[in-house]
Amino acid sequence: MIGLQPVEVDTIIVGSGMGGLGMGIRLARETERSFLILERAHDVGGTWRDNTYPGVACDIPSHLYSFSYRTKSDWGQFYADGAQIHRYLQDAARQEGLLPHLRFGTDVRQMRWQPDVARWQLDTTTGSYRCRVLIIAAGRLSEPRIPEIPGLTGFAGPVFHSSAWDHSVELAGQRVGVVGTGASAIQIAPNIARVAESVVLFQRTAAYVVPRADRTYSDAEMRLLAQVPGEIERLRSQLFWEAEAGFAKRVGLPAAVAEFRDVALGHLASQVSDPELRARLTPSYEIGCKRVVLSDEFYPALSTGAVALEPSALDSLHSHRATAASGAEYELDVLVLATGFHTTQPPFATRVFGREGIALSDRWSRGMVAHASTTVAGFPNLFVIDGPNASLGHNSAVHMIETQIGFILGALDHLELVNADVLEVGREAEDAWMSEIDRRSASTVWLTGGCSSWYVDDRSDRLTLLWPDFAFAFRDEVGTFDPRGYRVSRAPVAVAH
Amino acid sequence: MSAAAAAVAATGPTAQTVIVEGVPVHCTLAGSDPNGSDPVVLLPGVGGTTASDFEFLLPLLARTRRVLAVDLFYGAAEATGLDGLLDQLAGVLRQVLPGRTVILVGFSVGATVAAAFTARNPTAPNPTAPNPTAPNPTAPNHSVASLVLVTPVPRASNRHRMLAALRSDISVNHPEALRSLDLFSAYSSTFLQLNSPEPFLPGANTVAQLHLFATCDLTAVLPQITVPTLVVGCTKDDLAGVEAARLLFASLPDARYTEIDSGHAVFVERPAEILAIIREFVSHPVSHPAGSMLEAARP
């Protein structure tokens, strides 16, 4: 399998989640390019393949959390669960003819730009590959963040991260600890409380929780969407613009912020009657600063005692004993780390080497930067999907991914149009873009809300994960490739295609 | 601080009252224009105020440029008609944004005013003209760079007159039913199926705005509107009617057209979508040629 000659293709996509598959679908449908999708796991689906914990579900409406070019009329729920989204992505890969392009079990160890031939050289666990265009779609929530808790390795029971759920562990009759209060923890805790003997949740920072109000779609509604032309687009449009209005809550529009806070605190008050518990669950920062979570089950599970709240971080472990920062002690059989992901410092960046052999992680040593959220100076013919300032706190990630895909296709068309091989953004354009990002970020709740979050790089206190504007503005500004600020060139030596 | 000084310093929304020919006109100024981009002037619709119609649009548009929202005093113009409203607007602009070319955004009857104002101020002011800010309320010294007409009422039809008469009758005989009629006519069926909006508060301008709604006719002056214009129709608007927007688009020499899936109260039903459309157009007014139908965003 591992040959001496690298496999040569025009384009390589790294990752087969929503970003990688979305890119692959459009390459397959609209271009004649040869391309491969390298995937370290043995299936497509990205975060929806990895996250199989009890209760895993999306908090963006299912009709928005799907490709605009692969709508699905029979989503059964307003919010799809993880397995349904995973199936949707598997179906997409198969029906769009991507399986021949996929290389599973291929972990990319190094991606290095070779200026003499103007190609990217990839070393992987299944051999070497060489391509003209490299598209990294390695995901934003894909590398588990494991906290450094003294005694963690010596814990006397099973320990696993929420995104690597160990289904062989029987939770019935077990005393389970859950670390974290992010979106995963809030879905996990009430669900495992139904079988476990006891569940204790270690809360470092309280989350704002708003009503989920999930509902099923009736058969008639599904048939309506399938049979009446334009109906599914109208629904998507309505859901999208409704979500867009939510951005007002993130930029300190006082009435919108107050209304949002009232909804969350009202939800808490209506579901938790014990004033002491309510106080412990009341966040001390502004709403929206950290990700706002949707749940109708979380507060009742705490209120009824099905889940016990430890209002401090997990401090240390010793055999079966977990000690919280407050000094409280718990005997645990199983420990679940719902502690999030490496977001601001993506591990893939340590494996990418651009001009002069500079590592992308070094280029990003003060935080991720890119022009148009997609291209990085010093890294020719490299495109990053879901990288710097390309996520949202208020609307669907798929809209952002599709925007970037459109940008990349435009850039590739441009190269063809000007008969060039290499495209590279200039540092000046990138700097100007980043200044504008910083300017727009300054007034947002993510930098003014008084919290620490996975949206902000703690090395520079810059907002590097989120796009600090409406999603429509991202489409307006990034959706069409603009060649200004880019240099193009021919490959230094003729290379056989 | 003078109004002009306030205009320079303003970034957060600042409410102020400008006296024009003895008439107090309330307006709100927000945002800044470090690059000298043209400020946007917002005019609310029938039964509305800048506060009710532009609660979302004003602060969010002001993140990208300077915005002035004006509550014209329709009652004071009852004797002078539409011309009186245009004089009021000219007076406000002269005091708050002296010497500035503006982008006018009018909603509903606000679009009637915006279109008429643009027709009356057809060319850019001559920068060499002496004393361009002389306090002559009727001097056409304010030029309009571009124009946005959101679900406009350019010419009253029988239907508009019927609705105004119905409303007037109900307001006398069944005032409590008026609230339902207003909600019923302002919002789309889709919106009312999913939401329970608050009743509209009776505004000081409502009756006079409805008079304009039921009597206006801009047909004769439309050819004088030569600036780049965007007309926005609302497909489920039973109040102004989407046909009026389509015909207006076809009547103007330099207009583009787009539609939103909304009732008349588009700033409540689709606040982010109308913001997106306005924000894009004011930044790139001629990126689409005259006569273009702009496709709705396909999210």
Side-chain angles (χ1 to χ4, degrees), chain A residues 141 145 182 204-206 285-292 339-345 393 444-459 461-466:
Chain A
L141 305 179
R145 200 181 63 79
R204 193 176 51 179
T205 316
Y285 54 90
E286 186 54 280
I287 190 163
C289 185
K290 292 166 97 72
R291 180 165 162 187
V292 176
T339 44
F341 300 86
H342 289 287
T343 53
T344 54
Q345 298 184 48
T444 63
V445 69
W446 304 296
L447 293 185
T448 64
C451 78
S452 70
S453 80
W454 53 266
Y455 301 141
V456 175
D457 195 306
D458 57 14
R459 296 169 297 181
D461 292 332
R462 286 188 47 253
L463 183 72
T464 58
L465 253 290
L466 291 179

Side-chain angles (χ1 to χ4, degrees), chain A residues 68 233-234 236-238 240-241 244-245 248 251 253 255 399 439-440 443 468-470 472-473 475-477, chain B residues 55-57 59-60 63-64 190 194-195 236 261 269-277 279-280 296-299:
Chain A
S68 65
E233 286 75 19
R234 271 192 286 278
R236 281 175 59 93
S237 188
Q238 178 207 323
F240 175 81
W241 290 112
E244 275 295 76
V251 290
L253 204 58
H399 183 81
R439 189 189 68 74
R440 289 189 213 183
S443 61
D469 206 331
F470 288 91
F472 73 71
R475 185 65 58 93
D476 285 347
E477 293 168 49
Chain B
E55 182 189 9
F56 183 90
L57 181 77
L60 290 162
R63 274 171 61 81
T64 53
T190 319
L194 298 169
N195 300 277
K236 293 174 180 160
D261 182 24
E269 286 196 26
R270 288 291 179 93
E273 187 172 7
I274 186 70
L275 167 70
I277 289 168
R279 196 171 128 170
E280 174 65 12
R298 287 287 187 107

Side-chain angles (χ1 to χ4, degrees), chain B residues 278-292:
Chain B
I278 292 173
R279 196 171 128 170
E280 174 65 12
F281 176 75
V282 300
S283 300
H284 310 287
V286 292
S287 65
H288 294 89
S292 302

Side-chain angles (χ1 to χ4, degrees), chain B residues 46-71:
Chain B
V46 65
T49 62
T50 56
S52 66
D53 289 349
F54 305 133
E55 182 189 9
F56 183 90
L57 181 77
L58 176 80
L60 290 162
L61 191 59
R63 274 171 61 81
T64 53
R65 52 175 64 227
R66 172 157 298 177
V67 184
L68 174 70
V70 184
D71 279 312

Side-chain angles (χ1 to χ4, degrees), chain A residues 211-268:
Chain A
R212 185 167 180 83
D214 194 10
R215 67 178 193 87
T216 55
Y217 284 107
S218 68
D219 290 346
E221 285 174 301
M222 289 191 252
R223 280 197 298 273
L224 170 73
L225 294 172
Q227 292 169 0
V228 177
E231 203 59 35
I232 204 161
E233 286 75 19
R234 271 192 286 278
L235 175 61
R236 281 175 59 93
S237 188
Q238 178 207 323
L239 294 169
F240 175 81
W241 290 112
E242 208 171 284
E244 275 295 76
F247 183 69
K249 301 161 189 164
R250 272 74 178 189
V251 290
L253 204 58
V257 174
E259 192 186 324
F260 197 27
R261 198 191 309 116
D262 287 351
V263 167
L265 296 181
H267 189 48
L268 172 62

